Amino acid sequence: MSEKKFPEGFLWGAATAAYQVEGGIENCDWARAAREGFVPRAGRACDHYHRYEADFDIAASLGHNCHRFSIEWARIEPEEGRFDEKEIEHYRAVLAALRARGLKPFITLWHFTLPQWFADKGGFEHPDAPEIFARYCAYVTRKLGNDCRHFATMNEPLVFASNGWRRGSWPPFRKWPGLDFLQSIPGHRRFRAQETSVRNVPRYFKVVSQLVRAHNAAYDAMKAAGFGVEVGLVHQVILFHSNWNPFNQLLASLMNWHWTHSFLKRVFKKCDAIGVNYYLHKKFGDTRAYEKTDMGWDVYPEGLCESLLMLRRYGLPLWVSEAGVADASDRIRADYIKRLVRCMYSAMERGADVRGYMYWSLLDNYEWAHGFEKRFGLVAVDYDTLERKIRPSAYVYKEIIEKNALVE
Ligand code: BGC
């Protein structure tokens, strides 16, 4: 029997994002796209906005000691420059509920959805976007900086930019011409709202630069708020690796440079920590037939290890801010979690400064362009009755948490 013991104080929990679970958010770009029939409606989602206490009871009963969630920008700033104190009160109550149950909070200030007024101005294409974003982040920090220590400015900026301005599968549905093969990536569908134009190429790069500037400006503004909060950014690593072939090895390094390092090198100096989300890998020259998740993605949790090692060079603490699996039958989830934990452990043995892990997701939820059909939750949600039911795999995760170790 082997025991992989984690350091004392290691954090274990799960993650959610506002639009995917809260329900009742109608003033953002995704809600508009849904009303126009381009993406599925989120509607009341899991009604987590009203049921967060009961949901946190479940998380606590599963042994979790931390929880990552996001704040809905459109609730806090429903009109440009007008901030809603009542919604701050709501999130303050959410933080208090977490604290009361011994769950350390991690706030993501922006997880994909944009307030309608901001999207109408062009969103991150607008020249003032970085300042507008930084103003919002600083406002929330001033209001909640006493109640939460760990903040991330944004979730997966490159996924946001690629889906919105390259593949055209998410708002604002801009697409590069001749990239149809990208849409055949499992899990991405075609949308008829697409605007295909060569002008989207420079727009994409502009949006990426604006996101860099927005994060950096937000970091400074949040630090200036003076609460001493940790400010990071959440990046989804897509791991590119290869077989023995030197050509494939070169291709993999170029792709890792393109997807991960060319972005992180522009923001890491304004990060106190990096959140790592891991779901996808691409191994060049690999002919193995992988088992698939319900998203059609390879079952390859082992990629988490190399993903974490890749980020060692930034010398920052790392949070595994998301990793999990869509598995409606709960057939592979427990094993997937164990394999993730094993990989995290071996990355830590090799010097990656990992401080905690948040499974994606606590609840089944709105999986963006897929609507509600994909089920990532440790807890199943019946969308008719909103009843929650803990999946067996959640207890396997609980055992790991209770031992603070993987015992095999
Ligand atoms: C996102 C989540 C999403 C998950 C699964 C991540 O890219 O942050 O919002 O639900 O992947 O696709």
Side-chain angles (χ1 to χ4, degrees), residues 20 111-112 155-156 236 279 297 322 360 367-368 376:
Q20 296 180 267
H111 196 122
F112 296 151
N155 181 68
E156 301 184 350
Q236 181 181 142
Y279 296 95
W297 299 343
E322 283 181 39
W360 183 268
E367 178 52 29
W368 305 110
F376 279 89

Side-chain angles (χ1 to χ4, degrees), residues 35-107:
R35 283 195 294 278
E36 292 173 350
F38 302 137
V39 293
R41 293 188 80 106
R44 66 177 178 171
C46 309
D47 195 29
H48 180 69
Y49 188 79
H50 298 111
R51 294 165 193 249
Y52 61 90
E53 292 190 291
D55 289 338
F56 297 158
D57 282 341
I58 298 176
S61 80
L62 292 172
H64 297 194
N65 53 32
C66 71
H67 181 72
R68 171 177 176 237
F69 69 101
S70 80
I71 289 193
E72 186 64 23
W73 183 359
R75 288 193 192 277
I76 303 294
E77 192 176 358
E79 287 163 36
E80 181 163 11
R82 182 172 77 75
F83 294 92
D84 189 337
E85 189 68 37
K86 269 203 334 286
E87 295 292 356
I88 287 289
E89 275 313 315
H90 168 79
Y91 289 112
R92 198 170 276 138
V94 168
L95 288 166
L98 287 170
R99 223 180 8 257
R101 290 160 181 79
L103 297 158
K104 197 169 265 208
F106 283 71
I107 289 180

Side-chain angles (χ1 to χ4, degrees), residues 159-283:
V159 171
F160 166 81
S162 300
N163 288 344
W165 280 264
R166 185 144 77 164
R167 292 198 182 101
S169 51
W170 287 7
F173 305 105
R174 301 209 202 282
K175 181 174 166 312
W176 293 7
L179 280 189
D180 285 342
F181 71 94
L182 275 184
Q183 299 218 334
S184 63
I185 287 179
H188 284 269
R189 297 176 178 178
R190 282 168 195 282
F191 290 94
R192 60 199 156 87
Q194 275 168 354
E195 178 216 306
T196 305
S197 160
V198 72
R199 281 183 308 157
N200 293 334
V201 178
R203 276 185 183 142
Y204 166 81
F205 288 105
K206 180 176 171 194
V207 167
V208 172
S209 291
Q210 290 282 80
L211 290 166
V212 167
R213 288 184 50 217
H215 166 79
N216 291 340
Y219 180 90
D220 288 339
M222 291 170 73
K223 289 292 176 181
F227 289 88
V229 295
E230 173 189 279
V231 181
L233 171 142
V234 172
H235 171 67
Q236 181 181 142
V237 177
I238 299 177
L239 175 69
F240 295 95
H241 52 153
S242 81
N243 65 354
W244 57 270
N245 181 324
F247 173 75
N248 287 330
Q249 288 174 5
L250 178 66
L251 193 59
S253 342
L254 288 174
M255 288 303 292
N256 284 326
W257 170 255
H258 165 69
W259 181 260
T260 289
H261 299 302
S262 74
F263 184 80
L264 288 184
K265 80 174 178 44
R266 298 165 77 186
V267 293
F268 82 98
K269 291 192 180 128
K270 303 265 182 199
C271 281
D272 304 324
I274 299 178
V276 181
N277 293 357
Y278 171 77
Y279 296 95
L280 296 165
H281 82 121
K282 168 79 191 152
K283 186 165 179 179

